[in-house]
Amino acid sequence: MSDLAVADQGGAIPPAFDLSLVLGQNLRRLRTRQGYSLERLAKLSGVSRAMLSQIETGKSAPTISLLWKISTALDVPFATLLSGQNTHGTVVLKRVDAKILASRDGKFTTRALFPFDGERKVEFYELRLAGRHVEHADAHAPGTVENVVIAQGALEVRAGRDAPRQLFEGDAILFEADVPHSYRNLTDEESVAYLVMTYVETVG
C-alpha cells in the first residue's frame, strides 16, 4: 500500500493540525501507557523499530497498512492514533476542512465522518477508490463488523475465505471484519462507498 498523505479539500493543511506530529505524540503516549518499548512494539506489530521511532518523532508518514498493524498491536482503534483535541456537544465536520488519508498514488482515500475523540462503538468513513483499484485491509479487532453501502460505482468485497460479493450503486453489505478483507473497484471510474465500523467494546 502506498504512503499515507493528508490534505484538506482546499489543498492546504490548516496549521492547527499537523498529522505527523499528532500521530507521533499519540503513538508515544499509547506505547508508553502500555509499558511497551520500541523493540516490544516492533515485535508485536511487525513494524521495524526504526520506522516506529521515525513515526514518533514526526519524521515519517507511514502507510495506512502500517497504521492498522500498529493500532492492532496496541489494541486501539485506528482513529485513536489520529486523535486531535477533545470535542464536545454538537460537532460540524465541514467538507472543506476534511482531513483525507490517501495512498501516495491517490487511488484510495478515506475520510473520517466523525470526531476522533470521545468514547464510541461506531466509526463512520467515506471511501473513494480509483477505477479498477484494489484496496487490501488487515483484520481488525475480534468481533469488529463493517457495514458498507455503495454510493457511486461498483465494488467487489471479499472478506476472509468467503466468496467475493459484487455490489452496485445502492447495494449494502455487512460482514465480520476481523479477517483480512479487500475492496475492488469494478469500474473504470471512481467508486464511492460509506463504511460504518462497529466494535464489540466501547473505544476512544
Side-chain angles (χ1 to χ4, degrees):
M1 190 177 294
S2 301
D3 284 345
L4 175 70
V6 62
D8 70 314
Q9 296 285 35
I13 303 174
F17 187 92
D18 187 320
L19 180 65
S20 295
L21 291 178
V22 169
L23 176 58
Q25 292 169 357
N26 287 337
L27 175 55
R28 186 181 302 109
R29 173 177 54 82
L30 292 166
R31 176 178 63 79
T32 56
R33 186 175 69 183
Q34 297 192 28
Y36 291 159
S37 64
L38 285 171
E39 289 80 4
R40 176 62 174 165
L41 182 56
K43 183 176 181 180
L44 291 173
S45 65
V47 179
S48 73
R49 182 192 185 285
M51 174 59 73
L52 291 172
S53 178
Q54 290 179 0
I55 295 172
E56 287 196 358
T57 55
K59 296 178 180 178
S60 178
T63 63
I64 297 174
S65 62
L66 286 186
L67 287 182
W68 280 118
K69 290 179 180 178
I70 294 169
S71 65
T72 299
L74 291 170
D75 194 25
V76 299
F78 177 84
T80 302
L81 288 171
L82 306 174
S83 298
Q85 62 184 12
N86 291 326
T87 54
H88 303 282
T90 301
V91 179
V92 176
L93 304 174
K94 291 284 190 178
R95 182 179 181 87
V96 69
D97 297 326
K99 308 303 181 298
I100 309 297
L101 294 175
S103 57
R104 178 166 39 183
D105 59 12
K107 292 185 177 181
F108 172 75
T109 63
T110 178
R111 174 168 64 113
L113 301 175
F114 63 95
F116 285 134
D117 291 321
E119 292 188 348
R120 60 192 178 277
K121 284 190 175 181
V122 177
E123 295 177 349
F124 184 30
Y125 296 91
E126 176 188 73
L127 309 179
R128 291 179 177 268
L129 290 86
R132 303 299 171 183
H133 178 66
V134 180
E135 184 66 22
H136 297 277
D138 293 330
H140 302 314
T144 301
V145 172
E146 288 192 13
N147 191 184
V148 179
V149 60
I150 311 304
Q152 174 183 308
L155 295 179
E156 179 184 86
V157 178
R158 180 190 294 268
R161 297 182 178 180
D162 290 349
R165 307 300 175 90
Q166 294 189 349
L167 304 169
F168 300 91
E169 190 169 321
D171 291 343
I173 186 172
L174 182 75
F175 64 92
E176 296 176 353
D178 51 7
V179 294
H181 47 288
S182 64
Y183 312 93
R184 180 167 71 91
N185 188 348
L186 298 173
T187 75
D188 293 325
E189 304 297 327
E190 181 181 68
S191 286
V192 181
Y194 291 94
L195 162 65
V196 176
M197 187 178 302
T198 305
Y199 298 99
V200 173
E201 299 180 356
T202 300
V203 298

